[in-house]
Amino acid sequence: MSKLEIHQIPVLNDNYLYLFKDPDSDAVGIVDPAEAEPVLEKLKELGWTLTHIINTHHHWDHTGANLELKEKTGCIIVGNKHDSERIPGIDIQVEDGDLFEFGTQTAKIMAVSGHTIGHIAYWFENSETLFCGDTLFALGCGRLFEGTPAQMWESLSKIRTLPDETQIYCAHEYTEANADFAVTIEPDNKALLSRVKEIKQKRAQNIPTVPSTLGTEKETNPFLRPDSEHIKETLSMVGADPVSVFAEIRHRKDTF
């Protein structure tokens, strides 16, 4: 089976949309469309016809173009069954553990609340691809607008169990700012320091830092590492449980 063909589309100030196609069928999807015009332009350039919108959560910068794209292309909108009232134009309602068939590809639906209640991620195992919206970022995670630290840590723990080769397609280019914060939590993490240098070089040339791999995130992202004894020592939280450590890291980032 072929892997998804994925095109990254930058929109707004720092959002990324992902236009993706199953090479073995006519299925074409867009993840969390904030704006319609850039998507329509890319579709025209590639000669593709949009068949699906997949939404991770309801925020306007992830659903703002749902209805316009549906009107202009007749596409089907997929979103969380338990947040359907906040997903414009939703047609297919999915929930945790469901398998969403996309052409010849299959995505496992993962409930990953925390940033919002009802946030989901789409894991295309065959393509080693995770569309995770605003739950996990390169070197960061989403703010807890609706959920609790315990909910977010549970969600990140789910993601952490996926294969290290999984490509993390998050929705924002926040990596450089996240890197500046991460080194305050793990100033002696050699893998992190090396990654920060690479990130600075990329952003100086306006090169995207997304996607990253889950393996890299597990080594360097403090929000995936609250069970690290080194981090606990740095935060003077030796013996604390991961939820408490995660909550402290999130609090520090919120005020950084």
Side-chain angles (χ1 to χ4, degrees), residues 170-210:
C170 64
H172 292 275
E173 181 60 70
Y174 290 162
T175 317
E176 187 170 14
N178 288 341
D180 291 339
F181 171 75
V183 294
T184 70
I185 302 298
E186 281 198 288
D188 301 319
N189 183 329
K190 292 182 179 180
L192 172 60
L193 295 176
S194 176
R195 188 180 181 192
V196 170
K197 183 178 179 180
E198 179 185 346
I199 288 164
K200 296 289 185 182
Q201 291 173 343
K202 283 186 173 182
R203 294 313 297 155
Q205 301 173 66
N206 200 33
I207 297 172
T209 63
V210 179

Side-chain angles (χ1 to χ4, degrees), residues 35 58 220:
E35 296 182 313
H58 72 273
T220 57

Side-chain angles (χ1 to χ4, degrees), residues 205-235:
Q205 301 173 66
N206 200 33
I207 297 172
T209 63
V210 179
S212 59
T213 66
L214 181 59
T216 298
E217 295 304 324
K218 286 163 64 176
E219 288 183 336
T220 57
N221 188 332
F223 294 99
L224 287 181
R225 298 170 52 77
D227 49 358
S228 161
E229 294 304 319
H230 178 68
I231 287 181
K232 291 180 182 181
E233 290 175 7
T234 302
L235 300 181

Side-chain angles (χ1 to χ4, degrees), residues 4 20-22 27-29 51-52 100-106 124:
L4 293 173
F20 62 104
K21 185 180 189 298
D22 170 24
V28 174
T51 61
H52 293 80
F100 166 60
E101 303 298 331
F102 179 78
T104 66
Q105 306 274 336
T106 301
F124 287 86

Side-chain angles (χ1 to χ4, degrees), residues 113-115 117 141-157 223 226 241-251 254:
S113 287
H115 178 65
I117 300 300
C141 78
R143 283 180 177 267
L144 306 185
F145 287 122
E146 297 178 3
T148 66
Q151 286 175 315
M152 183 61 107
W153 175 237
E154 179 182 0
S155 297
L156 293 175
S157 296
F223 294 99
D241 63 276
V243 172
S244 298
V245 178
F246 172 82
E248 176 62 20
I249 297 170
R250 185 63 258 176
H251 171 71
D254 290 343

Side-chain angles (χ1 to χ4, degrees), residues 131-146:
F131 296 120
C132 57
D134 287 357
T135 294
L136 177 64
F137 295 129
L139 286 180
C141 78
R143 283 180 177 267
L144 306 185
F145 287 122
E146 297 178 3

Side-chain angles (χ1 to χ4, degrees), residues 72-90:
K72 290 183 176 179
T73 68
C75 66
I76 295 169
I77 298 176
V78 185
N80 190 351
K81 172 182 179 180
H82 304 290
D83 201 22
S84 60
E85 293 184 358
R86 300 195 292 183
I87 304 294
I90 189 169

